[in-house]
Structure formats: structure tokens, C-alpha cells
Amino acid sequence: MLAAKGLETVADLLYYAPFRYEDRSNVKPIAQLAPGEKAAVLARVASAKMSGFRRRAVGLFEVIFKDEGTGTLLARWFHGERYADSLLPDTRVALFGKVELDKTSGHRLMIQPEVEILSGGDDADETLHSGRIVAVYEAAAKVSTRIFRTLLDRILKEIDLPEDPLPASVRMRIELPSLAEAIAETHCPSPGTDIRLLNEFRTPAQTRLIFDEFFWLECGLALKKNKARLAEGISFAVTERAREQIKQMLPFKPTGAQRRVVQEIVDDMKRPHPMNRLLQGDVGSGKTIVAAQAAVLAIENGFQVAVLAPTEILAAQHYTYFKRLLEKLDYVVGFLVGSSGPREKQQVKKLVTEGFVHMVVGTHAIIQDDVSFSKLGLAIIDEQHRFGVSQRLDLMKKGNQPDVLVMSATPIPRTLALTVYGDLDISVIDEMPPGRKPIRTKHVPDSMVEGVYSFVGQEIAAGRQAYVVYPIVEETETSADIKAAEKMFLHLSEKVFPKVRVGLLHGRLSAGAKEAMMREFQSGEVKILVATTVIEVGVDVPNASVMVIEQAERFGLAQIHQLRGRVGRGAQQSYCVLVTSKLGDVARERIRTLVESNDGFYIAEMDMRLRGPGEFFGTRQSGVPGLRFANLLRDTEILEQARAEAQRLIEEKPGDELRAVVTYIQENWQRRYGLVQVG
Ligand code: ADP
Ligand code: MG
């Protein structure tokens, strides 16, 4: 029962975080309750009735309580059905709430009070649940907050908490209570503790527990990073010829940001240890050409390069892009995806194994068992959040400690990057290539969509192309969603734009059909592409100038920002139109963020705030580790502090202290954080 909540050991219980606190110090006999005050009362049910509008599902439940001869208290719960079975006459309860006066009966009244059923007739037990500040826990199956409180009280009284594992040097600097004190105070706050601080998770005790979670996580990540960094890897040489080749390949002058990150990458590649670097940059910031430069360096050193993309469309696009760049230098570029024909696959694999192919671009087909490289030196992984860490490892196994460059166009708020990608070095391209006009974004209610279509018509007449997107996630496309997109497609192609070629792209099409459609759009034969979010990442058609997003309220900010990045890739002014139905306040706020900002990092931060860090990555990402006390949004400062302390400890390597840390993490945190092999 508790195991399902991940509560298997006493330690798990000690780290089961309360989610709020209540001040129940003010326990009073009913007769002494003053209207307006918040108080706790111990009483028995005298009578109870479910009244009124049950059929209309209001279910007003009214109970009269009495305590040892002092008085009568009325309590009312709306939707009170759930109490009706347990608050039978004579049941003993504790009530907490604000006292009012019932005008009709003259009784004291509590509306929707907190209620806890008391067990036996034993009042001693009650000192645990009232008369003090209590922690409130989320119930797990049949285990109520009271049971958690009782369990924790018993554990704290009977068990000696382990010695404080935090290295003394760290403890001195952060000036927080010991672990034992922090745990005890968090579950059973001392009288007089500031209830407001408690509920903001800002007491020294709580801060200590939050700090711990971040600290051990960051230690684990730093150890992992260190280990990888010290492993033996390839040291690429930056030769004069490599420089010349890169210069010859570049079709334009790199931006300052591109030059800076290339330097960071090259510095890593020169080192005799494997590179593990994340290259972040907003859509259109020009990550691909940066990766291409790293590729040339690897190839000039006699190594092969693998480029891994999340979808076949993207793989095909990368293939075209890299081929155009690299064939100028007489390198051979191969293509390998799941839907390649058997003979073609055979052929490419053979050439890769024999070392004739300098670069192979593809999907996860590249990491299948039967693909072997002659000499893999650099793995470039695009749009990494779609891949698991294990796939990163699979690809690394194909070579002898190759360098790894992960590219992500999803700007990740710094706090998340520090936890999820804490074992990677991070490079950020924070500057757009010159000559780009910022995309203009507009919000239009769906009742006015005709005006949007006539605008699309004008752009097409001016020689541009447009996307009309249904924001449906590829993996969850249902028949109904596909039908909606198909219907839209028919409507647009037959009624609205009868003279224009309109195409349809969705996840249920075969890979071949998808690719054919993308080619037709890329070549400009198809003017309007009706699509689901299969076009979300990386697709590059510079002539497209309008992105219409239907039902924009259905999706995350970061995702819409990604979609929007499909336009604005050429020199002309581009537009994004967000079409929505009627919006609530939060949805309006979200749409406004998109209309007002083109900054991917800002939008990502807002998205994370509005949806929470777990949702931010969607279900595919389990990278956010199991934090219990800590909260990535609330606790950024503590995270930065913990990270600094962790790095200091790992880098200064004070022998024994470090060994103790490794053992402690292995024993206590590896399972929780899913850290692979820290020691
Ligand atoms: P990302 O992968 O970061 O979304 P791309 O690498 O696809 O972006 O680059 C977007 C477009 O900008 C491409 O057409 C690319 O050729 C072009 N580009 C990249 N860097 C520059 C630059 N420094 N100057 C001009 N154009 C650039
Ligand atoms: Mg890209």
C-alpha cells in the first residue's frame, strides 16, 4: 500500500514531505469560542443530517457537535457526502476552522472545517494532532494524514537518526540545522514556529532538507561528469588543413555566438577525454552549422561522425543539409532510417563498417545492434529531449569513447538544465543570424478565422508559403484528431483555396508519404501545408512566411514557440497567427506571453511556471529527479548554493570526505535519483 507511493523504508517515511502546516495551538472548549477566531475543538457528533438539494449535487451536510457539557457547535459542509458515512452520532472528532455565528439558530458555526476522526477515547493521543502546529500529509491509499503523523512521531521518538552525512566543511558554511533536527522540526515543528514561513517552506529546518536534496543530486551529477571527463577519449588535432576545410565549407559568416560555441566545442574535442556537451539555442539560431564544423574536425582526424535525429523527416533534412555542405569537401555522407529499403540499408551499413562513409545521418536505426562503425569519433544528437539517456549510451558504445554533442532547440530554464543535464557541459547560442526580422505574432478568436485565411491568400499571391497547424502531439494522434485535420484540409483545399495546392501531413502517414509531402512543400509546389505537430522540430523551409496555429490554447508555450520557429527563416517578414476559442484567464496569459515575446528562454521559463517542471517535458521525459522537499520553481537560490557547494567539494577532493560522500550517495540517493554509477 505504501510501497506504491515509494514508501518502503523508514528513511522513505522520514523523507515523506508534508505539503502544508496548520496551526492548531489554539484548542478551546466550544463555549469559549469567539466569532472570527481560528481554533481547534475536540467534540462528539450529536446529530447529523444530509439536507436539501442532493439531487442537484450540492449535498449540504450539517452536523451538530457537543463537547463535555460546554456547548454546541454547528458545522456545515457542501458536497458533504464523503463525511456522511463517518460522522455518525457519538463519533469523536477534532475540528479546525474559523468560528462564525449562525444567525438563525444562534449557535456557533464552522463552515467547511478541517475534520479528523479521533480513534479511541484516549486524549493523550490528541496532543499529537492538536494543541500545536501540525504537518499535513497527502494521504496515500488508506493511510491518512493522521496515520502519517502518528507513524512519524513514533519513528522520531524511537529511532536514533543517522549521523549527519553532510561534510563538516559544508555544514559550517551553510549554517543550517543538523539533519536530525531538520527532520524532526519539519515533521513536528516546535511551538512558536512561524506558520507562514513553514507554509512557504522557508524555515531553517526545511531549507536544510531542500538543500540536501539538491546537494546530493548535484554531487552525484558532478561525480558522474568527473568520471566521464577523466575517461580516456579521443584527442582531435586542429590542423591547418582542418581549418582550411572548415573555412571552405562555411556558406556564410558565423555569428559571434556561433564562433564562441564552436571554440568551446573544439576545446573539448582537443582534450584526450570524451566530450559531453549540450548545445542549446533557440530555433533558427544556427546550431546545425556549428555541428558541421565539429564534424569536419572529426573527419579530418580520420574519424566517422554519426548524426541522430528523432524523426525521419528531420533526419532527411539533416542529410540534405550536411550533404550539401560536406560534399563540397569530398566527404561521403550516408543516410540510414527505419524505412530505408533492405538492400539500401545493407549497402549503407556495409559502407559504414568498412569506413567509406564519413558521416551517417539517420534515426534510431543507427543505434541498432547490426550497425557497426569502422571508427566513430563524434556523435551528434539532435533534439535530445526526445531520446532517453540510454540511447545516448547506446550510441557511445558504437565507438571507443566518442565525443558527444547533443543539440536542443528547446530552451531549458537554467534550474532544470542544472538538474536534468547537470552531467553535461552546456553551450548556448544566444544570438540570431543577421538579417532576421522578428516574427510578428497575433492572437485571433476563431470566429474571425476567415480574415486569417484571406491574409494567408495574400501571402501566397506574393509568392510565399504557409503552414496551418493542428497542435496534436505525434505520438498521441487519435483518429478523431486526424479526422479534424483531414476535415480542415478538405475545407481549405476545396472551399477556401480551390486554386492553390494544399498538402496534408500527419503522423499516421507512412514515412515515405510524409517525406514526399515535405519535399513537395520544400520545393514550393505545395503552397499550404496543413499539418499536425509532426513538423514541430527542425523543419526548414525559408520561403514559408505564415504559421497559423489552430486551437492554440491546447498546447504548451514552448511547443508553440517551436512551431512558430518554422517560419521567419528567410529574409521576408513572417507571421504567426494563434487562433483560439474563448479563453480563461490563464490561457489568455499564456497566449499573451507568446504574442509579446520571441525569446525562447523567457517563454520556456513562463511555460515551466505555468505548467510545472514535470509537465514541461511532457510524459516522455522522466529526467526531473524525484525531489520531495525541493521545488525547482521556488528553490532556485538554494539550488545554486547547493550546486556551488557540491562542485567545490568534488573539485577540491578532500580524500576521505569525498569517499564518504560517494558511499553515502550510493547507499541513499542512487535509487531515488536514478543516477547510474556515481562511484
Ligand atoms: P537551428 O537548428 O538552430 O534551429 P539552423 O541550423 O537550422 O537552426 O539554422 C537556421 C537557418 O539559418 C539555416 O537556414 C541556416 O543556414 C541559417 N544560418 C545559420 N547561421 C547563419 C549565419 N551565421 N548567417 C546566416 N545564416 C545562417
Ligand atoms: Mg535544427
Side-chain angles (χ1 to χ4, degrees):
M1 186 158 55
L2 284 173
K5 273 247 169 187
L7 298 169
E8 288 167 5
T9 63
V10 167
D12 289 338
L13 267 176
L14 290 175
Y15 284 99
Y16 190 62
F19 75 96
R20 68 189 169 87
Y21 295 83
E22 272 175 25
D23 189 351
R24 299 178 179 174
S25 344
N26 190 23
V27 185
K28 284 196 168 169
I30 292 174
Q32 288 174 25
L33 293 177
E37 77 174 329
K38 278 186 114 176
V41 166
L42 303 178
R44 279 177 198 278
V45 177
S47 67
K49 73 168 191 260
M50 192 70 177
S51 76
F53 338 104
R54 200 171 189 172
R55 244 174 288 141
R56 279 197 275 142
V58 176
L60 180 66
F61 186 53
E62 272 195 340
V63 182
I64 296 173
F65 292 96
K66 287 204 156 96
D67 67 355
E68 324 291 83
T70 76
T72 311
L73 174 74
L74 194 63
R76 259 183 213 140
W77 287 273
F78 302 98
H79 302 286
E81 293 83 354
R82 63 203 165 102
Y83 297 118
D85 291 337
S86 49
L87 294 184
L88 303 171
D90 222 32
T91 309
R92 290 183 68 249
V93 301
L95 294 168
F96 315 92
K98 194 170 160 208
V99 185
E100 297 176 38
L101 218 50
D102 182 40
K103 293 200 184 72
T104 40
S105 66
H107 284 311
R108 290 179 177 84
L109 167 72
M110 282 184 180
I111 293 174
Q112 306 277 105
E114 294 285 325
V115 60
E116 282 183 15
I117 313 275
L118 305 185
S119 38
D122 182 7
D123 267 352
D125 181 48
E126 260 339 284
T127 56
L128 182 58
H129 305 289
S130 58
R132 47 187 285 267
I133 295 173
V134 297
V136 181
Y137 302 86
E138 194 180 317
K142 290 226 171 79
V143 183
S144 67
T145 187
R146 288 179 72 82
I147 299 181
F148 275 117
R149 218 177 284 139
T150 312
L151 273 173
L152 278 158
D153 178 67
R154 209 162 292 163
I155 292 172
L156 289 173
K157 278 190 187 127
E158 285 171 18
I159 288 185
D160 285 331
L161 291 175
E163 258 178 63
D164 198 332
L166 207 57
S169 57
V170 178
R171 222 180 320 153
M172 255 168 45
R173 263 193 308 273
I174 58 170
E175 295 183 336
L176 291 171
S178 72
L179 179 63
E181 188 187 335
I183 288 179
E185 278 295 317
T186 297
H187 292 291
C188 303
S190 304
T193 309
D194 185 335
I195 185 84
R196 193 182 48 83
L197 279 187
L198 271 171
N199 276 318
E200 288 170 2
F201 282 77
R202 277 292 169 272
T203 65
Q206 292 163 320
T207 305
R208 165 68 207 261
L209 297 185
I210 293 166
F211 178 90
D212 274 25
E213 285 192 325
F214 284 140
F215 179 77
W216 298 117
L217 173 64
E218 292 295 336
C219 278
L221 290 169
L223 284 167
K224 226 167 102 177
K225 192 163 154 180
N226 242 19
K227 190 177 162 193
R229 206 183 266 142
L230 296 179
E232 209 159 302
I234 307 159
S235 165
F236 295 94
V238 184
T239 59
E240 201 43 49
R241 187 184 134 94
R243 265 187 233 280
E244 274 310 310
Q245 294 282 72
I246 288 175
K247 217 182 271 168
Q248 205 184 322
M249 174 193 67
L250 285 176
F252 37 65
K253 204 165 148 267
T255 62
Q258 283 171 325
R259 270 206 298 274
R260 190 192 72 238
V261 300
V262 165
Q263 195 54 53
E264 289 167 1
I265 292 167
V266 169
D267 285 346
D268 270 7
M269 289 179 72
K270 286 198 302 206
R271 266 182 223 122
H273 307 292
M275 166 168 78
N276 251 310
R277 188 168 280 276
L278 173 69
L279 174 59
Q280 272 202 63
D282 214 339
V283 277
S285 61
K287 294 181 290 294
T288 327
I289 196 73
V290 168
Q293 295 175 63
V296 173
L297 182 57
I299 296 170
E300 282 300 314
N301 277 265
F303 286 90
Q304 291 171 298
V305 179
V307 178
L308 187 62
T311 64
E312 296 205 352
I313 292 181
L314 264 179
Q317 191 174 289
H318 274 317
Y319 174 63
T320 315
Y321 192 95
F322 281 113
K323 198 162 114 159
R324 202 170 60 215
L325 291 170
L326 299 185
E327 281 189 345
K328 280 198 284 193
L329 309 179
D330 286 332
Y331 301 149
V332 181
V333 182
F335 184 57
L336 189 64
V337 295
S339 67
S340 312
R343 187 165 318 156
E344 198 187 329
K345 267 191 202 155
Q346 217 48 54
Q347 181 73 9
V348 175
K349 281 184 216 165
K350 189 159 170 274
L351 292 174
V352 170
T353 308
E354 290 171 357
F356 287 112
V357 168
H358 296 103
M359 170 188 280
V360 60
V361 183
T363 53
H364 52 270
I366 296 182
I367 46 181
Q368 302 307 306
D369 286 340
D370 59 348
V371 181
S372 67
F373 286 78
S374 143
K375 211 177 169 195
L376 178 62
L378 173 67
I380 297 168
I381 306 180
D382 192 14
E383 313 297 356
Q384 114 105 23
H385 66 286
R386 297 211 165 198
F387 293 104
V389 173
S390 69
Q391 274 152 313
R392 221 202 289 164
L393 291 176
D394 283 346
L395 190 52
M396 285 167 74
K397 278 191 220 124
K398 300 258 171 219
N400 189 15
Q401 302 282 9
D403 280 3
V404 175
L405 181 66
V406 174
M407 300 195 285
S408 171
T410 312
I412 299 160
R414 180 173 160 79
T415 45
L416 265 190
L418 290 187
T419 49
V420 181
Y421 297 121
D423 59 329
L424 301 183
D425 294 300
I426 300 180
S427 289
V428 178
I429 306 184
D430 52 6
E431 179 187 349
M432 285 290 178
R436 292 278 170 77
K437 296 200 177 75
I439 301 162
R440 279 195 205 141
T441 300
K442 242 181 109 85
H443 174 209
V444 174
D446 54 9
S447 56
M448 286 162 70
V449 75
E450 293 305 321
V452 176
Y453 294 152
S454 74
F455 175 69
V456 169
Q458 286 166 28
E459 285 289 300
I460 303 234
R464 315 267 179 253
Q465 291 165 273
Y467 297 95
V468 178
V469 175
Y470 275 84
I472 295 157
V473 186
E474 195 178 342
E475 287 78 8
T476 60
E477 280 185 7
T478 64
S479 314
D481 286 332
I482 302 278
K483 265 206 200 98
E486 272 168 355
K487 217 169 118 194
M488 191 68 214
F489 165 70
L490 287 178
H491 177 69
L492 288 176
S493 58
E494 288 171 7
K495 298 270 157 47
V496 188
F497 300 106
K499 299 207 179 89
V500 173
R501 268 201 65 192
V502 182
L504 175 64
L505 186 71
H506 60 68
R508 295 280 175 90
L509 296 177
S510 73
K514 274 190 234 170
E515 225 168 277
M517 179 52 65
M518 270 325 291
R519 253 198 307 276
E520 281 183 81
F521 189 62
Q522 247 151 358
S523 69
E525 289 158 65
V526 166
K527 301 290 181 201
I528 301 177
L529 187 64
V530 176
T532 58
T533 47
V534 288
I535 60 155
E536 182 184 343
V537 276
V539 173
D540 194 13
V541 180
N543 191 46
S545 65
V546 191
M547 163 74 54
V548 179
I549 302 178
E550 305 261 357
Q551 299 169 24
E553 70 273 21
R554 284 178 58 185
F555 277 80
L557 297 187
Q559 190 174 20
I560 291 182
H561 181 64
Q562 286 277 310
L563 281 168
R564 176 166 68 178
R566 300 305 107 217
V567 296
R569 312 202 125 218
Q572 75 279 3
Q573 177 62 54
S574 292
Y575 306 88
C576 173
V577 187
L578 306 174
V579 183
T580 69
S581 49
K582 252 197 155 60
L583 297 177
D585 288 346
V586 177
R588 189 166 296 280
E589 186 60 32
R590 289 156 45 94
I591 298 288
R592 189 172 31 232
T593 305
L594 287 164
V595 170
E596 285 172 0
S597 174
N598 261 315
D599 177 346
F601 280 92
Y602 171 74
I603 289 167
E605 190 82 41
M606 290 298 282
D607 200 20
M608 187 170 89
R609 279 178 195 284
L610 292 165
R611 289 201 298 170
E615 279 294 300
F616 180 77
F617 278 113
T619 45
R620 284 168 298 183
Q621 175 73 18
S622 53
V624 182
L627 301 173
R628 295 183 188 165
F629 291 96
N631 175 320
L632 284 174
L633 298 182
R634 188 190 58 202
D635 303 326
T636 38
E637 275 173 35
I638 306 178
L639 168 60
E640 297 281 358
Q641 189 191 15
R643 178 177 159 83
E645 288 296 340
Q647 274 175 346
R648 183 173 186 150
L649 180 79
I650 305 296
E651 272 156 31
E652 286 174 8
K653 274 193 236 140
D656 284 349
E657 253 189 5
L658 187 63
R659 221 160 304 130
V661 163
V662 171
T663 315
Y664 177 73
I665 294 179
Q666 282 168 339
E667 284 170 2
N668 295 278
W669 297 80
Q670 198 142 319
R671 173 175 67 114
R672 243 174 82 181
Y673 287 156
L675 290 169
V676 246
Q677 283 304 316
V678 297

